[in-house]
C-alpha cells in the first residue's frame, strides 16, 4: 500500500501475517508491503484492513514482478491477482526485472 500514515503501517504489520512497512524518504508516510500467494491466505485480513482503514484507490497498488526471460515475450499475470482485484480495487504495476535483480 502506498502512502500510509505510521499508525496504519503498524496496524498493517500487526493484523496481516507477513506484512511489513517502511518509511518513505522525505515524508512522514510509510509504504506497506503485503506478500500475496496463489492460495490468498491473507485475503480476509487484507480486506478487513482496507475497510477499517478506509484505504483509497490512490493508496493501493499490486506489484507484479516479471522475469523477462519468457521465450515469447508475453507476460501472464497469475489468476489469483484477478481474484484479488474482485475483492480489493487497486491499480497494477508490472515490474520487468533482469534475472540478476529478481
Amino acid at each position: 500500500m502506498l502512502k500510509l500514515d505510521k499508525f496504519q503501517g503498524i496496524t498493517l504489520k500487526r493484523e496481516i501475517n507477513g506484512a511489513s512497512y517502511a518509511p518513505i524518504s522525505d515524508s512522514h508516510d510509510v509504504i506497506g508491503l503485503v506478500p500475496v500467494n496463489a492460495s490468498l491466505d491473507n485475503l480476509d485480513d487484507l480486506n478487513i484492513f482496507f475497510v477499517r482503514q478506509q484505504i483509497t484507490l490512490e493508496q493501493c497498488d499490486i506489484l507484479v514482478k516479471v522475469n523477462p526471460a519468457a521465450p515469447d515475450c508475453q507476460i501472464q499475470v497469475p489468476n489469483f491477482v484477478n481474484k484479488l482485484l474482485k475483492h480489493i480495487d487497486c491499480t497494477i504495476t508490472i515490474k520487468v526485472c533482469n534475472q540478476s535483480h529478481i
Side-chain angles (χ1 to χ4, degrees):
M1 274 145 289
L2 310 171
K3 208 169 183 184
L4 303 175
D5 63 39
K6 189 167 183 176
F7 177 75
Q8 288 173 318
I10 292 168
T11 303
L12 177 75
K13 185 174 180 175
R14 188 184 70 227
E15 293 183 356
I16 301 175
N17 189 28
S20 61
Y21 68 93
I24 299 173
S25 59
D26 300 328
S27 173
H28 294 291
D29 298 320
V30 300
I31 186 168
L33 306 169
V34 180
V36 180
N37 59 29
S39 61
L40 296 172
D41 297 332
N42 54 6
L43 180 59
D44 289 338
D45 293 335
L46 186 56
N47 201 17
I48 291 168
F49 176 82
F50 266 69
V51 172
R52 284 185 183 162
Q53 298 298 318
Q54 300 177 351
I55 303 299
T56 65
L57 180 62
E58 294 78 27
Q59 290 177 286
C60 179
D61 184 55
I62 297 173
L63 174 63
V64 178
K65 290 186 180 181
V66 177
N67 181 346
D72 56 3
C73 297
Q74 290 186 0
I75 298 170
Q76 186 173 18
V77 176
N79 288 336
F80 72 87
V81 174
N82 185 43
K83 186 173 181 180
L84 179 63
L85 286 171
K86 289 178 183 177
H87 295 272
I88 299 172
D89 192 19
C90 292
T91 59
I92 296 179
T93 299
I94 297 177
K95 182 176 182 180
V96 180
C97 304
N98 299 1
Q99 287 182 343
S100 62
H101 291 98
I102 293 182

